[in-house]
Amino acid sequence: MALAKNVMLLGVGVAGVSFLSTKANRGKVKDIWNGAKDKTMSFLNRKCSELDPMIEKAGHPDPYDHEDNKMVDEGAMYGVHYYNNAKHG
């Protein structure tokens, strides 16, 4: 079983080396690699740019955003309610 796996890996390695032995094929592989790298980097940069408004809002909350302030107020009261229920409940 292990011998078959090793022979298969050796065959894949030899096929890869023979494919990359020509300059045209190396150029194709390099172009594919650079394209994949560019797509990955653009995806990661897009994710970061989508998070920027959320980070900005988290650092500087708007005092006139009543829904956000209400949510923060409810979260702040959770500990008080928990303590009151534990102490008196």
Side-chain angles (χ1 to χ4, degrees):
M1 184 69 174
L3 180 63
K5 186 187 275 187
N6 289 339
V7 169
M8 186 169 39
L9 288 175
L10 180 64
V12 169
V14 168
V17 168
S18 66
F19 180 75
L20 293 174
S21 65
T22 63
K23 191 168 187 157
N25 289 342
R26 284 194 302 266
K28 289 177 188 177
V29 171
K30 189 175 180 181
D31 291 341
I32 291 170
W33 175 260
N34 286 335
K37 185 175 70 169
D38 291 341
K39 286 180 183 178
T40 303
M41 293 306 292
S42 68
F43 176 75
L44 292 175
N45 289 336
R46 183 177 55 89
K47 283 291 194 185
C48 291
S49 66
E50 288 175 1
L51 292 176
D52 286 342
M54 284 188 251
I55 292 172
E56 183 69 28
K57 184 176 180 179
H60 305 286
D62 183 14
Y64 298 107
D65 187 1
H66 298 293
E67 290 300 317
D68 189 42
N69 292 335
K70 181 177 154 187
M71 180 186 65
V72 170
D73 182 44
E74 290 171 356
M77 293 304 294
Y78 177 79
V80 175
H81 290 300
Y82 181 81
Y83 175 78
N84 287 338
N85 288 337
K87 196 72 165 168
H88 302 292

